[in-house]
Amino acid sequence: MSMTPLFSDPQTALALLPEFTLIVGIVLMILVPNLGKGTFRVPIPNTNIRIPYLLGGERFTFTSSPRIPGIISVLTLLFSTSLALWSQMETPLSGSNVWCISTAGEAFTSCAGMADPTLFQIDGFSRLVEIIFYGSLMLCGVAMWSRMPATPRYMIHAQVLAGRREDERIQKLLDNRRQVDFHLLLLMVALGMSVVALASDVFVLFIGLELASLSSYVLIAFMKENEEAPEAGMKYFILGSVASAIGLYGISLLYLWNGNLQMSDLAASWQAMDGIDPMALTGVAFLMVTIGFKVSAAPFHLATPDAYTGAASPVAGVLATGSKAMGFVVLLRVLVTITMPESGEAFWVPVVGLLAAITMTWGNLGALSSNNPKRMLAYSSVAHAGYLLAAVAALGLNQARAGDHVISELIVAAMLFHLTVLVLFKLGSFLVLSMLESEGRGSKIEDLYGLAKREPLLATALFIFMLALAGVPPLAGFLSKLLLVSGIIDATIHTSMSFDDGVLATLQSLHWVVYLGLLVFLNSALSLYYYLRVGWVMFFEDPPTRKRMVYAPFLRITIMLCLIGTLAFGIGPLADHLIGLVSNAAIAFFA
Amino acid sequence: MMFGNPLTLLTLGPIVAALVFMFLAWACPPSKREEISQYIRLLIFAFSLLLLSLSSLMFLESYSGISWTSIGLNNYVYDNCVNAEVALEAGGCALVDGFGVSWHVGVDGLSFPMVWLTTLLIPVSMLVEWNAKKGAQFHSLILLMEGALIGVFVSLDLFVFYTFWELTLIPMFFLILLWGGDDRKYAAQKFFIYTFTASVLMLLGILVMYYFTRVPVWEGNITGRAFDMTLMAASSNQLGSSFLGGFGMQKAVFLLLLVGFAAKMPSVPFHTWLPDAHVQAPTAGSMLLAGVMLKMGAYGFIRIAVELLPAALVYFQWLIVILGMVSLVYGALVCLGQSNLKRMVAYSSVSHMGLIFLGIATMQPLGIAGAIFMMLAHGIISPHLFAVCGAFKHHYHTLEIGSMRGIAKHSPWLSGHMMTAWMASLGLPLMAGFVAEIAIMIAFWMAFGWLVILPALTLIITAAYYLWSMQRTIFEGGEEGELPESLHGEDPVDITWHENAGMIVLAGFAVLLGILPFIFFDMMSAYSGEFVSQVLLDVLNEVRP
Amino acid sequence: MSQLAYIFTGLGVALWFYNHGEHHAAVIAFGASMFHLFNHAMAKGMLFMASGSVIHEMHHAHHHLAHGDDGDHDDFDPQDMRNMGGLAGKMPITATAMAIGSASIIGLPLIGGFWSKEGIVAETWNAAALHGGTVLLVPAFLILLTAGMTGFYMTRMWLMTFAGKPKTEFADHVEEQTPWIPTPLVTLSVISLLGGFTLAVLGATNWLGEAEALGTLVHEHGIVLAILETLVHAFLPTDAFLFMVTWITIAISLIVGPAMAMRIHGGKLKDGDKAPQLIAWIPLLSAKFGRANVDELANSGLADALHRRLYFDEVYEWAISKTVIPISQAFTWFDTHVIDGAIKGIEYGSQKISRDVRKVTTGSASDYILVAVIGMFSILVLLWGVI
C-alpha cells in the first residue's frame, strides 16, 4: 500500500484533516520540548564550527516549560474538534457526502460496491463520534494542564522537607518530561480513537481500538506517586488484554468464515447466510466480550471501579466518556452494521437485553453504598452503559433493514445524543473532582463535605451534573434518557401492538424489551439516591477546611462551560441543533 | 410572539428573576451581604406582588376581556399556539423541534384558579417567613418554585409539563435541606426520590401517549410525533375506543399516570413522604407544599388522565372511589393519633385530598366542580394551618400538642388564627372548605346513594381531631395555662405583624370564597359541565349502555 | 329538646299522613309543627333570658356579699336552683316573664304554645286511632306522658326559683337591678301571650297547604266569629274521641303535673315580699298543697341516672373509646410500620444488597478474568441456545 496518493490528493487530505492535525500534534509534541541549543560539530579537523540544529542540548526555557506539552495537546485537539465540527456543519456528511478511503490511498465518494478493500469511511457518523472523542480528550488535557506541576502540589512540600527535591530548573525539566509523556499518550489515544471512528474494515477497527486502549492503560497508571494508580492501570491492562485477545480470536474466526474483514462484505455475507453459521456466531460472541469490557458492561466491568479510582480524575473521565463511546462505536459496527438481519429480530437481542438489565442494576446498586466519589461515578458509568445497551436491544428489534429506518435511526440518534452530553456532565463531574485531587483530596465522600461553603459555583456545578446523570429535567441528561426510552417504546410498540381490551392482555402482547425501558426509568429513580447524597453532603455538612481551592482559571471556565452546556442542551434551540446533528449522524450510519 | 404572552411571563419571569437574584446574592461581597439580602428580599416580594396583580387582572373580566365561564372544553385562553398542528409545522411555537416539543401555554377554568392561587401564596408565604434570618437565597428559591409551579399549570405540552413538574422538586429539596427541622436530610431525600420514582412511571405513560400522537412530519422532526396535549385530546375525542391502539393500552396508561399523580396528591398508600416532608420543612416550604404542590397531582390527574382517557376513568371508577375513601378515612383516623401538630395537619391534607378523588369519581358536573373547588379551598386553608404551626414553632419552640394549654391568654392573635384555620379546615359553613365538601357530598349521593354516609361520618372524625387539639391548646389549663418545656420559663411573644398579615389575608380569602364561592366556582362548573356533557356522557353510554 | 321532639313528632305524623294519601291532614300536622317551632322559639328564648337574668343577679348578690372573704373562689354555683327560692318578690318582671313562658310551654289554654301543641297532639291521636296508624300509638301515648312531665318540670322550675322561702342568704339579697334586661323580657312575654292566639285565629295551622287560608277566617266572618270559631275548633272538636284526647291532655298537663310539682316544691313567699299581682297567686296556691317528703326519691338511683342524663354521655365515650380510638391507633401503627415500613425496608434492603454486590469486585485481577470468562461462556451458551 502506497501512502503517497493519500497525501497528494487534496480531496483525501481534506477528508482526513482532523487526523492529520493529530499527527502533526504528535510530531510537535515530540519535537518542541526537545528544542534546544543542540549543535552539530562539523568534522573538519582543526576547526570548531558548530552548526546548531535546534534539537537536544540545553533546552530553551520557553519550550521546555512544563506547560507547553499541555498547550500543544489541547490546541491540537481543539483544532481537530473544530475541523470535525465544521465539516459536519458546513457539509453534513450524510447520505451523499461520504468519503471512502481505499487501501490504495484513493478517496471515493461512497463505500458501497467497491471491489478494492477500503480502509476508512468518513461520514457524518464518524465525524460526530470523533467530536465526542476529541472533546473528552480535550477537556482532560485542560484539566491536566491545571495539575501543575506534574508532581502534586501537596507532595512538593513533603519532598522539599525530605531533601528529595532537586534544583528547580532540573525539576522543571523533569516535570516537562512527565507532561510530554502524558499528553503524547493523550494524543495517541485520540489517534487510535479516530481510526476506530473511521474504520470500514474490522481489522483496522481493531488496530485503532488497541492503539487507544494501550495508551489509555498507561494513562491510568500514570500518577505513579499514588499507590493506587499503577495497581489500577495494571489490573485494567490485564483484563483489557484478555478481553482484546478474546476479541482478536473472534475476528480471526470471522476472517476464516468470510475471507476478508471488510464491514460491507461481512454484512452482505451475513445477510446471505442461511441460518447462522456457528463460526460466525462464535466470532461475534467473542467480539462481544471485547465490546463488553470496553463499554463496562456486566460481567466484564469489574476492573472499572478500580481503574477509575486509581487513575487521575480527568483520565477516569476520558474512560467514562470517550472510551465508552469508542466501545459503543465498535458495538454498533459489529452488531448493527454487520449482524443485523434483513428483517426480523436480530439473534443477539435476548443477550444484549439481559446484559443491559444486569449492567444497569449492578451499576446502580454498587454505587448506592459507595463512599468514594470516584468509585461511585465508576459504577454510575456502568449503569449508563446499561441504559445504552437497553437501547441497543431495542435497536435489534429491527423494523426493516431497508425501508422504514425511522425508529432505528431514532435509537442510534438517541444513543449518540446520550454519549455526547455524557461528556458534558460526566466528564464535568470528574473535572470538579480533579480540582479536589489537586489538593490531595477526592478519594472519600468526606472530602466533598461542605464544598458549597468553600466554592459555591463549583458545588452548584457538581450538583447539577449529578442531577443530569440522574435524569432530572430540564437538563441534558433528562433529554437523552427520554430519547433512549422513547426509542425503546417506539420500537416495541411498533412491533407488537395488539388492539385488545384488557390491560393484562395488552401488556402481555408487548415485546419484553419495553420492560427494559421501565427498568431504565426505575433505575434512574434508584440512582437518584446517591446523586442526591453528593448534593446534600456538599450543601449540608461542614468542610474540612475553609480555604479556597486552587485557582486554575481555565479549568474553572471549562467546568462552567460544561455546566452551561448541560443546561442549554436540555431544552431549547441548542438541544434542537444537537438533535439535528445526531440524527444526521444516525442517517449516515444507516446509509 | 411567544414572549408577549402573559402566561409565559408568569412562568419564565420568576425563574429568570430568581436566578438573577441568586447570582446577585452570591456576587456581592461578604461584608455587605446582610444589607444587600434585605434589599433583595424586598425586591423579590415586590416582584411576586407584581405577578399577583398580573394574574388578578387576568381574572377581572373588565380588564382582560375574558369571560371565564364561557371557555368550554379543549379551548384555552392566552393560548399561544392555537391551531397546534398547523402552528407546529410552521415552527411557531416549537421548543425542541426535532423531538416534537413545543412551548404551548394556555389556561382555562380548571387551571386558572390554580395559577391565581400560586401567585397569591408566594407573597403570602414570603410575608409569613419574613423575619427568619434566611438571606436572599431562601426567597429566591421560593420565586424559582413559583415559576415552576405556574409552569405546571399553564403548559399544554407534556414534555414541558413534566419538566416543570420535576423542576418544582429542586427548590423544595433545597428549602427542606437547608432550612428545615432536625431530620431534614432524610425528609428531603425521601421526598425527592419518592415523588421522582412515581413521576417516572407517569413519564412512561406520557411516552406511550407521545408515540400515538402523530403529526405531519416537518423538517427536522426525527420522530414524526409531538407532545402537544391539545392534539392528544383531539385524537382521543376522535378515535374513542381505539385511541392509543385499544382500550387495554388506555387502561394501562391510565394506571401508570394514576400512580404518578396519586403519589403527588398524595393518596394512600403512596402518602408516607408527606408527613416527614411537612414536619421537617420550613414554614414557607410547608405552605407551598400543601397549598400548591399537592394540587399539581390533582390537576394533572384531571387534565391528563381524566380528560384524555375518560373511558379508562369510567372503567376504574370504583378504584378511584376506593382510593379516595381510604385516603379520607385513613387520613382522618391516623390524624387522631398524632401528637405533633404539623404531622396532624399533614395527615389532614391526605384526608382532604381523598375527597378530591371522590369528587372526580362521581362523574357528576357538581362533583368534579366540587373537587376542583376543593383544590382551591384547601389551597387557601392549608397554608393558613401551616402558618399557624409555623408560628407555634417560632414562638413556642415546640409542635407537641400535649405540651401546652390555655395559650389564649398569652397569644390571643395566635389563638384566634388557630381557631379560624382549624374551623375552616373542618368545613365550617361560610368558609371555603364547606362549599367544596358539600358539593362533593351531594354529587356523591347523586352517584352512589347511601354510601355517602361513610364520608359524612368521617367528617365528624375530622371535626373531632381538630376540635380536640384546638381546645387543649387554646382553652384548657385553668387560669394560667401551661407553657411548654421548650420555652424554658420565658413568656411567649404573640405573632409578629407580618405573620399576622399573611394569615389574615388567607383567612379573608377563605371567608370570601365561602360566602361568594361563585367567583371561581362558576368557571369550574362551566368546565366540568362541558366535560361531562361533551365527553363523559358519550363514554358512559359506550362503556355502560 | 323535649319540645323539639314534639315538632318532630308532628313532622312524622304529617309525613305519615302524606304517605297514606291524606293530604289535608298532612298539611295541618305540618302546619302545627311549624307553628310550634315559632311558639317554642319565642317562649324558650324568653325562658333562657329570664333564667339568665336570675343567674346574673344571683352572681351579683354573691359577689356583693362574699366580697370580703374568699371572693370568687368558693364553690358557689349561681346556676344551682337549690340556692335560690322566693325570688318572686325580689325580681317581679323576671318572675312574670318566666311564668308566662312556662305557661306557653306547658300548654296553658289560650296562651301561645297551647294552640300548636294541641294541634300536634290531636293530629297524632287522629292518625293513631282514627286512621289506622297503630304504629303511631306509641308516640301518641308518649306525648301524653310528656305533656304531664312538661307541666311538672316547668312548674317545679318556677317554684324552686321564685316561690317559697329563700334557701340561701344570697337569694335573699337579690335585686332586679340590671337596666337592660326587662325590655326584651317584656317584649317576648307579650308575644308569647298573645302571639299564639292571634296566629291561631288567623289560621296559622293551615298556612302550609292553603296560603289563602291565612286570614280568610277573619276576612270572611269578622274577628269575633273568627275567634269563636277557633275556640270551638280547639276546645270542642266534633269528633268525640278527639274531644276526649284534648281534654285529657289539658288535664294532665295543666292539673296533674303542676299539682305534683306544687306539692313537692311549693311554698309561700317570705314575709314582707310581695310578688306582682299577675303571679302572686301561684305561691299561695302551691302552699295549699302541703309539703311532700321526697328525700328518698331524690336520693335514689333513678334520680342519679336522670341527673347523669341516663348515662348517654358515658355510653358515647365508651363506644368511641372502644371503636374509633383503637382503630385510630391501629391505623397509626399500620402507617408507621407497614406502609412506611415498606419504604424503609426498600431503603435498608437496597443498601444491604449494594454492599453485597460490591463484594464481587474483590480487587484481584484473576478474579476479574474468571468472571469475564464465565461471562463469555454464558454469552456463547445463550447465543447458541437461541438459534
Side-chain angles (χ1 to χ4, degrees), chain A residues 438-457:
Chain A
S438 320
E439 35 174 58
R441 298 202 177 86
S443 57
K444 306 191 298 292
I445 192 92
E446 286 80 12
D447 296 331
L448 283 174
Y449 277 18
L451 192 63
K453 298 191 177 78
R454 289 181 71 190
E455 300 273 355
L457 268 183

Side-chain angles (χ1 to χ4, degrees), chain A residues 101-342:
Chain A
I101 315 266
S102 71
T103 44
E106 286 151 7
F108 300 88
T109 48
S110 162
C111 266
M114 278 189 58
D116 288 335
T118 57
L119 276 182
F120 300 132
Q121 177 178 348
I122 305 160
D123 57 17
F125 175 74
S126 45
R127 281 287 177 249
L128 183 72
V129 296
E130 275 186 343
I131 295 173
I132 300 176
F133 297 151
Y134 299 155
S136 62
L137 288 164
M138 184 171 62
L139 291 177
C140 174
V142 171
M144 288 313 280
W145 210 351
S146 311
R147 299 276 284 257
M148 284 292 161
T151 311
R153 206 164 296 222
Y154 66 95
M155 292 185 82
I156 293 178
H157 192 62
Q159 281 183 341
V160 168
L161 282 181
R164 284 205 315 259
R165 194 118 176 111
E166 299 164 28
D167 169 31
E168 268 314 302
R169 174 151 159 71
I170 307 288
Q171 204 51 42
K172 282 187 93 169
L173 280 174
L174 287 172
D175 280 344
N176 175 295
R177 281 282 170 276
R178 274 196 84 194
Q179 288 289 316
V180 167
D181 292 338
F182 186 89
H183 288 282
L184 195 56
L185 284 165
L186 210 62
L187 288 177
M188 290 294 187
V189 173
L191 193 59
M193 285 180 169
S194 312
V195 174
V196 168
L198 301 176
S200 66
D201 182 294
V202 175
F203 196 67
V204 175
L205 186 74
F206 190 77
I207 293 176
L209 189 66
E210 282 308 295
L211 178 58
S213 305
L214 288 170
S215 313
S216 62
Y217 300 154
V218 184
L219 282 176
I220 297 174
F222 202 78
M223 309 303 280
K224 57 187 195 285
E225 48 289 311
N226 203 349
E227 280 180 352
E228 302 165 347
E231 181 187 331
M234 201 60 188
K235 280 188 216 171
Y236 205 63
F237 169 56
I238 292 176
L239 197 59
S241 305
V242 168
S244 297
I246 297 177
L248 194 57
Y249 191 22
I251 292 176
S252 64
L253 284 175
L254 280 175
Y255 181 72
L256 265 179
W257 169 70
N258 191 37
N260 67 33
L261 286 172
Q262 289 289 296
M263 283 190 204
S264 42
D265 202 52
L266 280 166
S269 309
W270 197 279
Q271 305 248 302
M273 193 168 58
D274 209 10
I276 301 188
D277 193 320
M279 199 186 300
L281 185 69
T282 317
V284 172
F286 285 159
L287 265 174
M288 282 175 80
V289 174
T290 313
I291 293 169
F293 170 76
K294 236 16 215 178
V295 307
S296 310
F300 310 107
H301 71 289
L302 294 170
T304 310
D306 293 334
Y308 286 36
T309 320
S313 288
V315 174
V318 165
L319 283 179
T321 53
S323 194
K324 194 187 294 295
M326 180 170 69
F328 272 106
V329 167
V330 176
L331 183 142
L332 284 173
R333 288 283 185 221
V334 169
L335 286 185
V336 179
T337 312
I338 297 178
T339 62
M340 194 80 106
E342 185 76 43

Side-chain angles (χ1 to χ4, degrees), chain A residues 235 238-239 242 246 276 281-282 285-286 289 299-300 302-303 306 347 351 354 362 365-366 368-370 375 379 529, chain C residues 350-351 353-355 357-358 360-361 363-365 367-369 371-376 379-380 382-384 386-387:
Chain A
K235 280 188 216 171
I238 292 176
L239 197 59
V242 168
I246 297 177
I276 301 188
L281 185 69
T282 317
F286 285 159
V289 174
F300 310 107
L302 294 170
D306 293 334
F347 68 92
V351 172
L354 186 63
W362 194 327
L365 283 176
L368 271 183
S369 61
S370 207
R375 212 173 178 84
Y379 277 114
Y529 170 73
Chain C
S350 55
Q351 284 283 337
I353 298 179
S354 168
R355 278 188 285 269
V357 157
R358 281 170 59 209
V360 179
T361 320
S364 151
D367 284 344
Y368 298 167
I369 297 177
V371 175
V373 167
I374 293 177
M376 177 189 82
I379 292 181
L380 267 175
L382 280 168
L383 282 177
W384 277 14
V386 165
I387 36 150

Side-chain angles (χ1 to χ4, degrees), chain B residues 28-39:
Chain B
C28 69
S31 54
K32 309 196 83 188
R33 199 155 275 175
E34 268 301 309
E35 214 185 298
I36 299 203
S37 297
Q38 307 278 19
Y39 286 124

Side-chain angles (χ1 to χ4, degrees), chain A residues 500-537:
Chain A
D500 201 283
D501 257 10
V503 179
L504 284 177
T506 310
L507 289 178
Q508 274 170 349
S509 72
L510 283 175
H511 197 285
W512 59 266
V513 168
V514 78
Y515 295 108
L516 282 178
L518 177 65
L519 201 59
V520 167
F521 273 155
L522 288 178
N523 268 300
S524 300
L526 181 65
S527 68
L528 197 57
Y529 170 73
Y530 56 85
Y531 291 129
L532 279 183
R533 186 177 52 181
V534 170
W536 91 61
V537 143

Side-chain angles (χ1 to χ4, degrees), chain B residues 186 190 194 269 271-272 330 333-334 336-338 347, chain C residues 324-325 327-328 331-332 334-335 339-340 343-344 347:
Chain B
Y186 176 69
K190 185 173 184 178
Y194 204 125
H271 66 287
T272 45
Y330 184 90
L333 284 171
V334 177
L336 206 50
Q338 300 301 324
Y347 277 106
Chain C
V324 176
I325 305 286
I327 296 181
S328 162
F331 278 3
T332 312
F334 185 78
D335 199 61
I339 299 189
D340 212 21
I343 306 295
K344 289 199 164 57
E347 292 165 13

Side-chain angles (χ1 to χ4, degrees), chain B residues 73 363-365 368 525-541:
Chain B
L73 194 63
M363 301 198 292
Q364 307 277 335
I368 299 180
S525 61
Y527 170 82
S528 64
E530 286 271 335
F531 175 67
V532 171
S533 61
Q534 282 185 16
V535 176
L536 212 48
L537 280 178
D538 295 333
V539 171
L540 276 166
N541 287 334

